[in-house]
């Protein structure tokens, strides 16, 4: 069965420090991968979307970047965090529809607080 | 960009009441998905719909794929406190089947 791992669960970082959040998927190949940010009680803001290794689509201008160095690994990074980067970050994968369904499955999320 | 509009934005109901929410788009979708997000966790898939007019149940939840393929509905019967959370609709778009999520409906249930 497919699983998705996202870590860490919580993170407190000072302003100006770097960030690296990692997400890995098991049990599937060539998934679509997503990074979302969510403010408290609000909707899902899509940050980055990837359809393959090295293929990253940035959905909104921001202080963050994403990389996909391996098929099932998706990394969210920042060189210098801002206070406004605080939030709940979610990684997700979905099928492409070519060999299975298109449903998305989410990690447990990372609560980032920039202080 | 493409957006799925959910209504209502939030609902505050009494335990035992039935709940209805919907999701609409200006574009056609071939799949509709409904998710629930508990506080502090990632969204979890509740129901998937694959055909126009399809009606699917999961316990007290029932979802329908609209005939026009531009909308979908989720009903919760006899709500309980653990139904609290944010409900999202979603659908795949484009050649890569990128998932588009709705704006969410926040549900609060008063015991």
């Amino acid at each position: 069965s497919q699983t998705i791992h996202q870590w860490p669960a919580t993170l407190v970082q000072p302003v100006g420090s770097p960030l690296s959040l990692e997400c890995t998927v098991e049990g599937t190949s060539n998934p679509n991968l997503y990074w979302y940010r969510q403010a408290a009680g609000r909707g899902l803001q899509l940050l980055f979307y990837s359809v393959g290794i090295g293929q990253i689509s940035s959905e909104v201008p921001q202080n963050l970047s994403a990389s996909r160095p391996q098929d099932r690994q998706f990394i969210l990074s920042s060189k210098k965090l801002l206070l406004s980067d605080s939030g709940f970050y979610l990684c997700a994968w979905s099928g492409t529809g070519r060999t299975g369904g298109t449903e998305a499955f989410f990690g447990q999320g990372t609560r980032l607080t920039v202080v | 960009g493409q957006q799925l509009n959910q209504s209502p934005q939030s609902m505050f109901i009494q335990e035992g009441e039935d709940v209805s929410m919907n999701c609409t788009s200006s574009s056609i979708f071939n799949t509709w998905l409904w998710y629930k997000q508990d506080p502090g966790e990632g969204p979890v898939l509740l129901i998937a719909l694959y055909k126009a007019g399809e009606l699917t149940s999961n316990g007290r939840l029932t979802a329908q794929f609209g005939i026009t393929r531009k909308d979908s509905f989720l009903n919760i019967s006899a709500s309980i406190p653990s139904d609290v959370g944010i409900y999202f609709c979603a659908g795949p778009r484009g050649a890569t089947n990128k998932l588009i999520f709705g704006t969410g409906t926040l549900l609060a249930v008063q015991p």
Side-chain angles (χ1 to χ4, degrees):
Chain A
S1 64
Q2 302 92 352
T3 57
I4 178 168
H5 303 280
Q6 181 183 344
W7 68 92
T10 59
L11 193 58
V12 180
Q13 292 283 98
V15 168
S17 65
L19 173 74
S20 181
L21 301 181
E22 188 163 344
C23 175
T24 60
V25 181
E26 296 176 358
T28 188
S29 297
N30 303 314
N32 290 337
L33 296 173
Y34 310 76
W35 276 110
Y36 292 90
R37 179 169 57 204
Q38 185 178 35
R42 304 294 294 276
L44 301 168
Q45 181 186 35
L46 179 60
L47 301 177
F48 298 98
Y49 169 62
S50 173
V51 299
I53 295 174
Q55 300 179 63
I56 310 294
S57 172
S58 176
E59 301 293 319
V60 294
Q62 60 200 302
N63 182 44
L64 302 168
S65 62
S67 62
R68 185 170 178 174
Q70 301 180 47
D71 181 46
R72 290 168 289 180
Q73 184 185 28
F74 207 22
I75 298 171
L76 184 68
S77 304
S78 175
K79 292 181 179 177
K80 288 186 178 182
L81 284 168
L82 306 172
L83 287 173
S84 57
D85 292 324
S86 294
F88 190 52
Y89 289 83
L90 287 158
C91 179
W93 75 271
S94 71
T96 61
R98 290 191 292 273
T99 58
T102 56
E103 298 87 353
F105 300 91
F106 285 81
Q108 284 300 298
T110 297
R111 174 73 59 193
L112 172 66
T113 305
V114 183
V115 296
Chain B
Q2 176 67 51
Q3 188 167 350
L4 296 178
N5 296 306
Q6 287 187 244
S7 178
Q9 281 190 327
S10 58
M11 303 179 73
F12 299 89
I13 63 171
Q14 294 288 323
E15 183 176 0
E17 289 184 23
D18 296 341
V19 172
S20 291
M21 61 187 78
N22 67 68
C23 184
T24 60
S25 172
S26 58
S27 302
I28 288 173
F29 280 79
N30 293 317
T31 298
W32 284 98
L33 307 169
W34 284 95
Y35 289 81
K36 182 199 175 194
Q37 184 181 25
D38 289 330
E41 299 187 12
V44 174
L45 181 65
L46 297 173
I47 293 178
L49 303 161
Y50 302 104
K51 195 164 62 172
E54 179 181 354
L55 189 70
T56 297
S57 294
N58 178 3
R60 292 177 297 104
L61 278 62
T62 301
Q64 183 162 23
F65 194 138
I67 291 292
T68 66
R69 296 200 288 160
K70 293 183 178 181
D71 54 14
S72 180
F73 309 89
L74 178 69
N75 297 313
I76 305 173
S77 62
S79 60
I80 59 178
S82 62
D83 290 333
V84 164
I86 304 177
Y87 291 79
F88 292 101
C89 62
R93 293 289 299 165
T96 61
N97 281 317
K98 173 183 171 182
L99 268 190
I100 307 297
F101 277 83
T103 48
T105 292
L106 176 66
L107 177 64
V109 180
Q110 179 72 33

